[in-house]
Amino acid sequence: MKKILLCFLIILLFPVGADALSKADKDLFYRAVEAEATEGGYEEKLRVANVICNRVNNPAFPNSIRAVITEKHTVKGKTYYQFCVVRDNRINKVTPSKDTVRAVNDALSGKWIMSDKVTFFNIKGLKSYAKRNHTYWGSDDIHDFYY
């Protein structure tokens, strides 16, 4: 019950709702989730959408969907994107499925199926920054999740 109340409070304090997004930003969100979880079903897509929303709601990350999805850092002259689907342009080569649209809309409406602290994911089993530097939360059929 505490977790549900906390998620509800976060949504009230930091709205990420569908009404707060432009059509272009919502489309970007759909495409990011589709590209990151193409092989997954509704729940895998909802988890990816939850991570993006969790980042928007976390002061350590940008405070908009677009800024979270397109965030990049330059280290020693090399640019790193937070989402590989932006780097490799898959985000612009997918058509969001019905499951993706539903998952994103549900996340924007406040549906969470994971901890609101989870802010990282990567392909299951991949050795990554998240795996080396963050606490493992759990996995689904496609991704490992970290906070």
Side-chain angles (χ1 to χ4, degrees), residues 3 21 23 28-30 48 53 56 71-72 78 85-86 113 118 123-124 138:
K3 192 178 272 187
L21 288 179
K23 186 175 190 249
L28 180 71
F29 197 3
Y30 291 147
V48 170
C53 289
V56 172
E71 183 180 17
K72 61 185 175 182
K78 185 168 179 174
V85 299
V86 175
I113 60 170
V118 176
I123 299 300
K124 199 171 188 174

Side-chain angles (χ1 to χ4, degrees), residues 1-133:
M1 185 65 158
K2 286 181 183 178
K3 192 178 272 187
I4 292 170
L5 289 174
L6 179 61
C7 287
F8 182 71
L9 185 59
I10 287 172
I11 291 163
L12 287 177
L13 294 174
F14 304 98
V16 183
D19 294 339
L21 288 179
S22 69
K23 186 175 190 249
D25 285 353
K26 200 169 188 183
D27 179 62
L28 180 71
F29 197 3
Y30 291 147
R31 288 184 290 114
V33 170
E34 181 66 34
E36 288 286 358
T38 301
E39 305 85 26
Y42 168 78
E43 287 193 357
E44 287 82 6
K45 293 172 184 201
L46 181 57
R47 285 186 191 93
V48 170
N50 284 167
V51 168
I52 292 170
C53 289
N54 286 349
R55 283 186 174 206
V56 172
N57 294 331
N58 185 314
F61 296 94
N63 65 355
S64 75
I65 296 289
R66 177 170 294 280
V68 162
I69 292 169
T70 60
E71 183 180 17
K72 61 185 175 182
H73 301 281
T74 302
V75 179
K76 296 181 182 178
K78 185 168 179 174
T79 301
Y80 296 91
Y81 290 85
Q82 289 294 304
F83 291 88
C84 64
V85 299
V86 175
R87 181 192 71 236
D88 67 15
N89 203 35
R90 273 183 293 152
I91 195 168
N92 293 314
K93 297 176 182 176
V94 295
T95 301
S97 68
K98 289 179 183 179
D99 276 345
T100 297
V101 170
R102 184 172 143 232
V104 167
N105 289 338
D106 284 352
L108 289 170
S109 297
K111 183 171 184 174
W112 256 255
I113 60 170
M114 64 189 328
S115 168
D116 61 321
K117 292 179 179 21
V118 176
T119 53
F120 290 91
F121 66 88
N122 54 250
I123 299 300
K124 199 171 188 174
L126 183 71
K127 292 180 181 173
S128 68
Y129 168 84
K131 189 172 191 170
R132 290 187 307 273
N133 297 287

